Amino acid sequence: MNLVKRVIMALGLIGLMAMPSAAADYPAKPVNMIIAFSAGGSSDVQARIMQKYWNKYCPEQGWVFIYKPGAGGMIGFTEIARAKADGYTIGGMNVPHIVLQQLGQKAQFTVDSYKYLCQIVNDSQVVAVRKDSKYKTLQELFDDAAANPKKIKLGMSGPMSGQHLMFLDVEKKYPNIKFAPVFYKGAADQNAALLGGEVDVMYGNLNDVMRALDEMRVLAIAADEENKTFMPGVPTMKSLGYDIVSDIRRCFAVPKGVDDAKVEKLRAIFKQICEDPDYIAEMIKAGQPHEYMSGPDFHAWVKTQFGKAEDLLTSAGLIKKK
C-alpha cells in the first residue's frame, strides 16, 4: 500500500507541475477597459496614453475600450465590480467618488469590491477665476465671500463630488466664507460656465483647468506643496493660511474575485508603464499629474478617506452618521 500511495502522490505532483499557473498564458485574449466617464474626458485621455505603453509591455493582447458614463462614474464603477472575475475586465476608478457614492448614494459596491492595480494620477483641485476677474488673490475672493455671503457664484462638477467635498470642507473650517454653489454635469460644462460668466469662480481639477490657462487665473491650489511642474508660482491654500487639501485620485482596478496570480501580473505591467520615462513625459505633456502608488497601498489609503468624508457629509446634513 505504501508503494501504491507513493506512486499516486508522485503522479499527482507530476500533474501539478504540468499544470500552467493561472497567469502563465494570461492574457490570451483582448482585455476590456471600462471608462466610467465620457470619451475625451480626463480619465479617457489618461487611459489612452496608458494603452500605448500597455501595448509596449504586453504586446500579445490589446485593450477594448467600453464607455459607461453617468451618475458621477457610479454606473461604470458598478460595471467593473460586477464583471466576470477572469482578469479580462479592468476599469478606471476615481476617489473620492467611490467613497462618497458608498456613503451617500446607495452604491451597489464598496471600496472592497475590487483588487486595485495601482494609482496613476493625483489631481489636486484649484481655485480659479477668469483672467479679467477683479479677484487677483485668494484672500480678496474669500474676504468678499465673507462680506457678501452667498452672492458670489461658485461652479463645481456635480453634488457628491470631490469638488463638493472641498466646498464643504471650506464651509466647515471657515464658516464666514459663504458662496452660492452651482453644480454642473462635468468639467467641460463647468469651464464653459466660468468663461461664459455664469459663475464668478470655480473649484476645479488641475488637469481640467490646464486646458484653459490662457483664459483663467488660478488663485491657489489645494495641495500640500506647490506644483512646480504644472502650476509654478501658484501658492497652496495652506501657505495662505487655509488648511485645505483636496484632490481626485485615479487608479485602475479589477473585480475582487480575480486570481491573485493574474492580479500580480497586471500590477507588474502597470508598474513598468508608470516608471517608463516616455510615458511620464506624455503624461506631463497632456497635463496629467501622474503619481504612482501600488495597488495594496492605494487600497489601504482609500480606507483612510471615509472618516473625513463622512464627517463633512454629516455636518452638511447630506447623510446620517451610522
Side-chain angles (χ1 to χ4, degrees):
M1 289 296 293
N2 288 338
L3 177 61
V4 172
K5 286 181 179 179
R6 286 199 295 270
V7 171
I8 291 173
M9 288 177 64
L11 289 172
L13 287 171
I14 291 170
L16 287 172
M17 291 171 64
M19 288 175 63
S21 70
D25 59 350
Y26 169 79
K29 61 181 181 179
V31 176
N32 293 326
M33 173 54 69
I34 294 179
I35 303 297
F37 300 93
S38 301
S42 296
S43 295
D44 183 41
V45 169
Q46 190 283 322
R48 292 286 177 178
I49 295 172
M50 184 157 268
Q51 177 194 32
K52 176 179 175 180
Y53 291 88
W54 168 276
N55 294 339
K56 174 180 177 179
Y57 292 105
C58 187
E60 300 85 4
Q61 300 293 340
W63 286 353
V64 177
F65 279 81
I66 299 173
Y67 296 94
K68 295 287 182 178
M74 188 159 61
I75 292 173
F77 304 152
T78 303
E79 192 83 7
I80 299 163
R82 291 180 174 177
K84 187 176 180 180
D86 58 2
Y88 288 96
T89 297
I90 299 173
M93 310 278 297
N94 287 31
V95 178
H97 299 60
I98 59 175
V99 171
L100 295 172
Q101 289 163 5
Q102 182 178 333
L103 284 171
Q105 293 182 287
K106 298 182 179 179
Q108 301 301 303
F109 58 79
T110 72
V111 298
D112 296 321
S113 297
Y114 313 92
K115 288 182 178 177
Y116 298 90
L117 304 181
C118 66
Q119 172 188 290
I120 36 80
V121 162
N122 180 347
D123 198 356
S124 297
Q125 303 201 61
V126 302
V127 183
V129 296
R130 285 195 343 181
K131 272 280 178 67
D132 61 359
S133 171
K134 67 180 181 178
Y135 303 114
K136 302 297 189 292
T137 67
L138 183 71
Q139 194 64 56
E140 290 176 354
L141 173 68
F142 278 5
D143 285 348
D144 201 11
N148 300 282
K150 296 187 179 296
K151 297 297 183 182
I152 301 172
K153 294 181 181 179
L154 170 68
M156 292 176 283
S157 289
M160 301 293 279
S161 65
Q163 291 156 22
H164 190 197
L165 207 62
M166 177 170 158
F167 169 79
L168 296 176
D169 199 15
V170 171
E171 278 212 334
K172 184 175 183 183
K173 290 177 178 173
Y174 309 100
N176 61 317
I177 298 172
K178 297 287 186 183
F179 289 103
V182 182
F183 295 106
Y184 294 93
K185 291 181 179 179
D189 293 336
Q190 178 189 21
N191 284 9
L194 179 66
L195 297 178
E198 289 182 19
V199 295
D200 306 294
V201 58
M202 64 178 258
Y203 292 161
N205 298 348
L206 183 154
N207 178 244
D208 294 320
V209 172
M210 286 289 294
R211 306 176 193 184
L213 279 181
D214 290 343
E215 301 172 277
M216 292 185 187
R217 177 186 301 120
V218 178
L219 302 180
I221 184 168
D224 282 310
E225 298 177 351
E226 177 187 343
N227 190 312
K228 295 181 179 179
T229 301
F230 295 112
M231 297 278 170
V234 174
T236 66
M237 296 182 76
K238 290 178 75 171
S239 72
L240 298 173
Y242 297 96
D243 185 23
I244 303 294
V245 175
S246 184
D247 52 50
I248 303 296
R249 307 285 184 104
R250 292 206 292 277
C251 71
F252 287 102
V254 295
K256 67 178 180 180
V258 175
D259 180 86
D260 285 341
K262 291 181 179 178
V263 173
E264 290 309 313
K265 186 168 185 178
L266 288 170
R267 285 173 175 167
I269 294 170
F270 276 75
K271 188 172 189 292
Q272 281 183 296
I273 293 171
C274 290
E275 293 176 347
D276 189 303
D278 292 333
Y279 163 81
I280 293 172
E282 285 202 43
M283 289 285 283
I284 292 173
K285 184 178 180 180
Q288 294 274 355
H290 69 95
E291 183 179 282
Y292 173 82
M293 187 189 298
S294 74
D297 286 347
F298 184 76
H299 193 176
W301 176 83
V302 171
K303 287 176 172 290
T304 69
Q305 301 305 296
F306 276 88
K308 175 182 176 181
E310 186 174 33
D311 181 50
L312 290 173
L313 295 177
T314 302
S315 296
L318 297 174
I319 64 170
K320 292 182 179 179
K321 201 159 189 174
K322 295 179 181 179

